[in-house]
Amino acid sequence: MISLQVTRIDYSGDKVLVKTPSDEYIADKVIVTLPLAVLKSDEIVFKPPLPDWKQHCINRMGAGCIEKIAMKFPTKFWQSKIKGADFFGHVPISEEHRGLFAIFYDMNTEVKEGPYVLMSIITGDALEFRYNTSNSNVMMSCLHLLRNMFDDVPEPLDYWVTSWGKDHFSRMSYSYMALGSSGKDYDHMAADIEEKLFFAGEATNRRFPQTVTGAYLSGIREACKIVERGYSIPDFEGSDAAKS
């Protein structure tokens, strides 16, 4: 069940029924890893509806966006001024540029030979610029800024621009405690429902939210939770992992 869009999760019976536009799957347990913003959208139907304590938690927590641009260069031209630091900042020339490439990170501090990757972020009101222009225009704007700050800035060998806020299956980059929420909401997000629906993802990890590490660890946490409660993992025929 890979690359299929889930439309409905029915946990009203002894088994959990997961539906897609073309098929349906039956499971004993399901780990839900939907981003918080997708849960907020109510696009996926739960039957019965999620209990109030879970839904209120989803509604209270915040889902924020931050976009990134990574550019690969043949030289570390920024070291002429930065002198070994692994990041540097940029003060915008006007208020309308606030949030646009405010900080840059050297992603290859331990690498002695190129290419080298420089990453920057787009936040706040500047997200409107990102979502209303092409990846190449974002790159050119960032390159223009760098050339105003440093000498001898070469053309990038490659670049990558994220657009999580416009990704239908993400719609966000990170969770946060919005006004009225608290750290306990992360714990409530992680709580299972009837020992059939389990929840993972960065928004369920109170200790490491907003990180890939937190998301990864939450998946291990839920898998362990299922096993510790006495559910045995099926020994799929031909599975090396199952035999080890």
Side-chain angles (χ1 to χ4, degrees):
M1 186 176 172
I2 300 175
S3 299
L4 296 176
Q5 182 175 354
V6 172
T7 57
R8 185 182 182 90
I9 299 176
D10 185 339
Y11 63 102
S12 59
D14 293 334
K15 303 286 187 177
V16 183
L17 182 64
V18 179
K19 293 188 176 183
T20 73
S22 59
D23 215 337
E24 58 184 39
Y25 301 83
I26 298 175
D28 295 310
K29 315 284 183 182
V30 168
I31 300 179
V32 179
T33 59
L34 296 168
L36 178 61
V38 176
L39 286 171
K40 285 178 175 289
S41 73
D42 292 329
E43 265 195 26
I44 297 177
V45 176
F46 288 88
K47 182 184 177 182
L50 296 176
D52 288 345
W53 60 265
K54 176 74 79 171
Q55 191 60 57
H56 291 336
C57 174
I58 292 170
N59 294 341
R60 279 193 302 268
M61 292 183 66
C65 260
I66 181 174
E67 304 297 354
K68 298 179 180 180
I69 176 171
M71 304 173 73
K72 184 191 294 184
F73 291 101
T75 63
K76 273 195 176 185
F77 57 86
W78 55 92
Q79 283 302 319
S80 63
K81 293 184 179 180
I82 304 308
K83 306 299 183 184
D86 57 5
F87 70 95
F88 58 91
H90 158 252
V91 179
I93 58 175
S94 65
E95 185 175 338
E96 65 184 42
H97 291 89
R98 183 181 297 170
L100 188 61
F101 317 130
I103 192 167
F104 289 82
Y105 297 94
D106 183 344
M107 305 302 292
N108 303 104
T109 54
E110 303 300 322
V111 174
K112 302 302 181 183
E113 297 182 1
Y116 309 97
V117 176
L118 196 62
M119 185 189 76
S120 189
I121 59 176
I122 305 171
T123 64
D125 293 340
L127 289 170
E128 184 176 354
F129 162 75
R130 191 279 163 269
Y131 296 142
N132 288 292
T133 193
S134 65
N135 290 351
S136 61
N137 282 341
V138 173
M139 184 275 291
M140 290 302 297
S141 295
C142 190
L143 188 62
H144 176 73
L145 172 63
L146 289 170
R147 285 175 171 165
N148 284 334
M149 297 172 65
F150 301 96
D151 298 324
D152 303 320
V153 179
E155 288 291 316
L157 301 173
D158 201 358
Y159 67 93
W160 181 262
V161 186
T162 67
S163 189
W164 294 114
K166 291 297 184 181
D167 186 317
H168 183 74
F169 301 107
S170 298
R171 309 185 191 190
M172 62 177 290
S173 305
Y174 62 92
S175 63
Y176 64 92
M177 288 188 293
L179 185 64
S181 66
S182 72
K184 291 183 179 179
D185 285 327
Y186 282 101
D187 297 332
H188 294 325
M189 286 293 296
D192 65 87
I193 299 175
E194 299 180 8
E195 295 195 346
K196 288 185 285 188
L197 291 189
F198 296 79
F199 293 81
E202 60 83 23
T204 72
N205 194 320
R206 184 173 184 172
R207 188 172 183 185
F208 301 110
Q210 307 176 351
T211 65
V212 174
T213 300
Y216 172 75
L217 291 176
S218 73
I220 295 176
R221 178 198 67 213
E222 295 308 299
C224 290
K225 190 187 297 183
I226 292 172
V227 173
E228 288 169 356
R229 292 183 183 182
Y231 181 73
S232 59
I233 304 299
D235 186 359
F236 296 104
E237 184 177 354
S239 169
D240 294 333
K243 296 175 183 177
S244 61

